[in-house]
Amino acid sequence: MKKLKCKILGHTLTKTSKEHEMVKEYKCTRCGKEFTKNGYGKLVILDSYWKENNENLRAFYTV
Ligand SMILES: [Zn+2]
């Protein structure tokens, strides 16, 4: 039922990345799905591709 609610109402996102970080990551408190923002500021599902991408970004920005 929880997931159905997300489908109807949309996800309830909380930010999981730190405030100062360039990488923005979010998690839905209801279904536990993770999201991130792509280069265009659009919300996308945080899959293995984006996880790797964000790790690279973090490494880049912390240098
Ligand atoms: Zn959700």
Side-chain angles (χ1 to χ4, degrees):
M1 274 323 243
K2 275 184 175 178
K3 280 180 184 172
L4 188 67
K5 222 174 180 184
C6 280
K7 263 191 176 169
I8 298 164
L9 302 171
H11 298 286
T12 309
L13 300 176
T14 52
K15 209 171 179 186
T16 54
S17 54
K18 290 179 192 80
E19 200 55 54
H20 65 273
E21 276 188 319
M22 289 298 290
V23 177
K24 308 282 183 224
E25 287 179 355
Y26 306 87
K27 193 173 187 175
C28 177
T29 53
R30 247 192 316 249
C31 69
K33 261 188 190 158
E34 289 176 297
F35 299 87
T36 190
K37 278 199 174 154
N38 68 12
Y40 305 101
K42 197 171 177 257
L43 216 56
V44 290
I45 286 176
L46 185 63
D47 56 14
S48 53
Y49 168 80
W50 280 106
K51 268 185 185 159
E52 204 184 315
N53 196 60
N54 284 357
E55 283 310 308
N56 290 338
L57 273 178
R58 277 200 182 95
F60 179 77
Y61 285 116
T62 47
V63 168

